[in-house]
Amino acid sequence: MSNSSSITQFLLLPFTDTRELQLLHFWLFLGIYLAALLGNGLIITTIAWDQHLHTPMYFFLLNLALLDLGSISTTVPKSMANSLWYTRAISYSGCVAQLFTFSFLIVAEYCLLTIMSYDRYVAICKPLHYGTLLGSRACVHMAAAAWATGFLNALLHTANTFSLPLCKGNALGQFFCEIPQILKLSCSHSHLRELGLLVVSACLVFMCCIFIVVSYVQILRAVLRIPSEQGRHKAFSTCLPHLAVVSLFAGTSFFAYLKPPSISSPSLDLLVSVLYSLIPPTLNPLIYSMRNRELKDALRKLMEGCI
């Protein structure tokens, strides 16, 4: 029998017990991590460098890239280090910091994606009011609200989760620290308060998703009323990347937390956690740059200037 005061470290779930496969995991994660660093770093640098991209849409995209960089940097380097050094351990304070940072960035990203859907709604459905509703001060306030919401949510959950007595060892069924895995180690009935907080957070995320869906229904109706095919194509080209990012992010994270217990297994849980924690931060820059001519042109100019 153990309690939280006697736990000095947690044991993360390894991807494999075979040394050769652990090294393969290290190199695979290194490649994914470097791709995410490069993609998001180029997005941030390009938007900051090009004056033509200093608009609300690209301001929010820059914030999204920062959140993606933060979230993948919270989980991947520690997992890579553990595979390289053939260990499973993460310190108690390291686990607290990882859980707080990941929760903070994930919730902030949900809020930011909601704000980005509002930006597209105003741009297409209320273009004459775009400058008024989305001025520079309003954009800064909305982005700050997304970051603050994530911070306060993470602070509340982290403080409450690690105040629970832990009676079931220190082995986690995940390759990084997350709330459901910590709750599995808590004493019976002592985690009901945190479950209540998780329900409140789930309601917040659900309201964000409803807002995004309603926004895109209105956007679709407005786009279909545009008489010219070129106008419809331009409108779709600015909305489809955001819709793809939302679908990828929400779909993988929802499946991770809402999948039926009957199909749950350690290997499936590990695979799903990789999908929602690694794939969106890596693919988001590619999704946005593929159909965005302004961003591609600015990136090309940046590369030419560097050369």
Side-chain angles (χ1 to χ4, degrees), residues 252-264:
T252 53
S253 56
F254 278 12
F255 183 75
Y257 288 103
L258 301 179
K259 64 182 180 299
S262 58
I263 66 170
S264 182

Side-chain angles (χ1 to χ4, degrees), residues 31-63:
I32 293 173
Y33 185 55
L34 291 177
L37 288 180
L38 177 63
N40 288 288
L42 285 174
I43 292 281
I44 294 168
T45 305
T46 303
I47 294 174
W49 173 78
D50 196 315
Q51 295 289 330
H52 296 96
L53 300 183
H54 291 181
T55 63
M57 183 178 79
Y58 292 107
F59 171 73
F60 294 132
L61 180 57
L62 184 146
N63 278 265

Side-chain angles (χ1 to χ4, degrees), residues 55-131:
T55 63
M57 183 178 79
Y58 292 107
F59 171 73
F60 294 132
L61 180 57
L62 184 146
N63 278 265
L64 180 66
L66 288 172
L67 289 170
D68 282 338
L69 270 182
S71 64
I72 198 168
S73 297
T74 301
T75 58
V76 171
K78 179 59 180 174
S79 180
M80 288 165 50
N82 280 5
S83 291
L84 185 62
W85 302 116
Y86 201 53
T87 181
R88 297 175 54 192
I90 182 172
S91 66
Y92 187 91
S93 58
C95 187
V96 173
Q98 192 179 67
L99 186 147
F100 170 81
T101 307
F102 189 73
S103 302
F104 161 40
L105 296 171
I106 289 296
V107 172
E109 186 158 339
Y110 267 113
C111 296
L112 187 68
L113 288 172
T114 306
I115 294 169
M116 292 173 76
S117 71
Y118 174 70
D119 167 71
R120 292 299 84 208
Y121 165 76
V122 175
I124 293 175
C125 299
K126 299 181 182 294
L128 298 179
H129 302 283
Y130 189 77

Side-chain angles (χ1 to χ4, degrees), residues 13-16 25 28-29 32 173-176 178 181 248 251-253 255-257 259 263-280:
L13 183 66
F15 281 85
T16 178
H25 156 249
L28 177 62
F29 268 37
I32 293 173
Q174 188 56 277
F175 77 96
F176 62 93
E178 63 174 358
Q181 297 300 324
L248 178 66
T252 53
S253 56
F255 183 75
Y257 288 103
K259 64 182 180 299
I263 66 170
S264 182
S265 66
S267 57
L268 179 62
D269 292 347
L270 201 58
L271 175 62
V272 171
S273 66
V274 168
L275 289 178
Y276 86 84
S277 62
L278 270 69
I279 302 305

